[in-house]
Amino acid sequence: MRQVDEVKLLTYTHTYVKDDRYRLVHEAGDRWQRWQLVIGNVQTQDVGEYRCQVATTPPLIMDVTLSVTEPRARVVDERGEEVREKHYNSGSMIELKCVIDQVPFPPGPVTWRRGATTLSFNTSRGGISVKGDAASGFIASRLYVANAAPTDSGRYSCWYANYTSDTVTVHVIAGENSAFMQHDALPETPTAAAGGGAAAPLQVLWWWPLLIVVTLATCDFFHTLLTWVDSTTSYCRLHHHPLLHTSTT
């Protein structure tokens, strides 16, 4: 039986509940019998209290608490933080990492998909590695795609045993300007612009007109000053003014 909102009968010498995941295994020997409840494809909603009761007088009762550990897949960046988008330069190496926690033992398979297509790369273009300690409930998988092109952009998902998954959107930027892109940063963000690259010439252009105006104004000022000094010197020489004996430099 199972106690949910009310007592629910699961088996009575045979499977009573209408759920194909439940089955009853019965073994018997010399003066003993074993009744075992088996739940296939266990899920988180199966968590709870279960009771085995033997129809004796008084009845024999054994209560069991069922706990279910749920695996969780996470696509993470180089710092181990969850990421939803990644940006790459055209021609670079795409590297995606997926971490699966709370893995049951024995573990199930880990697969990568692009859209609805399951990926399987050869060593000339890329590959998939799976490492970790399944016995301790941890698996890490990496997906590599060499010589990335804009056609490699899309939604990549990491799946554990078709049960849990996580998705990341990959953008591959084409053209020379992609050399100034940073991973995990949008092209139009200040992070990319502040790093220099294509944005630098645009930042320099605005002060050229101001420099020209200042230069012309400075030259005009000195030209006027020299003209005044020359006129003053000529006047003093003509009239033998004492100012001539003072340095005009």
Side-chain angles (χ1 to χ4, degrees), residues 12 15 19 28-29 61 66 69 71 74 81 84-85 98 102-103 114 133 138 150 171 191 195 197 211 222 233 238 243:
Y12 185 78
T15 304
D19 190 332
I61 296 175
L66 175 63
T69 300
R74 297 178 295 119
E81 299 177 357
R84 290 290 171 262
E85 286 189 293
C98 178
Q102 306 296 331
V103 178
R114 182 185 173 196
D133 186 0
F138 172 83
H171 304 276
T191 302
L211 178 62
F222 278 106
T233 304
L238 181 62
L243 183 62

Side-chain angles (χ1 to χ4, degrees), residues 51 87 182:
R51 170 170 292 185
H87 295 78
Q182 296 182 3

Side-chain angles (χ1 to χ4, degrees), residues 94-107:
I94 295 176
E95 180 180 348
L96 303 177
K97 181 180 179 181
C98 178
V99 174
I100 300 98
D101 300 310
Q102 306 296 331
V103 178
F105 188 83

Side-chain angles (χ1 to χ4, degrees), residues 128-248:
I128 298 174
S129 67
V130 179
K131 298 180 180 180
D133 186 0
S136 62
F138 172 83
I139 290 179
S141 177
R142 293 181 183 268
L143 170 69
Y144 301 93
V145 182
N147 193 24
T151 53
D152 293 316
S153 300
R155 292 174 61 84
Y156 290 76
S157 56
C158 168
W159 282 82
Y160 170 74
N162 294 325
Y163 175 77
T164 179
S165 66
D166 196 21
T167 303
V168 60
T169 301
V170 171
H171 304 276
V172 180
I173 311 301
E176 295 181 357
N177 288 343
S178 65
F180 304 105
M181 286 295 300
Q182 296 182 3
H183 291 185
D184 307 323
L186 295 176
E188 62 272 14
T189 57
T191 302
L202 297 178
Q203 296 174 354
V204 173
L205 290 178
W206 70 267
W207 54 266
W208 274 102
L210 179 60
L211 178 62
I212 294 174
V213 171
V214 172
T215 302
L216 292 176
T218 302
C219 291
D220 185 66
F221 169 77
F222 278 106
H223 176 74
T224 303
L225 178 62
L226 292 176
T227 302
W228 177 83
V229 171
D230 184 65
S231 300
T232 303
T233 304
S234 299
Y235 176 83
C236 293
R237 286 175 177 172
L238 181 62
H239 296 84
H240 302 284
H241 197 279
L243 183 62
L244 183 62
H245 302 286
T246 305
S247 174
T248 58

Side-chain angles (χ1 to χ4, degrees), residues 2 21-22 39-50 66-72 102 163-164:
R2 183 184 180 192
R21 297 184 304 119
Y22 290 83
I39 307 175
N41 190 25
V42 67
Q43 302 171 7
T44 53
Q45 57 262 34
D46 295 321
V47 170
E49 300 292 330
Y50 291 78
L66 175 63
S67 299
V68 177
T69 300
E70 183 178 20
R72 182 191 177 206
Q102 306 296 331
Y163 175 77
T164 179

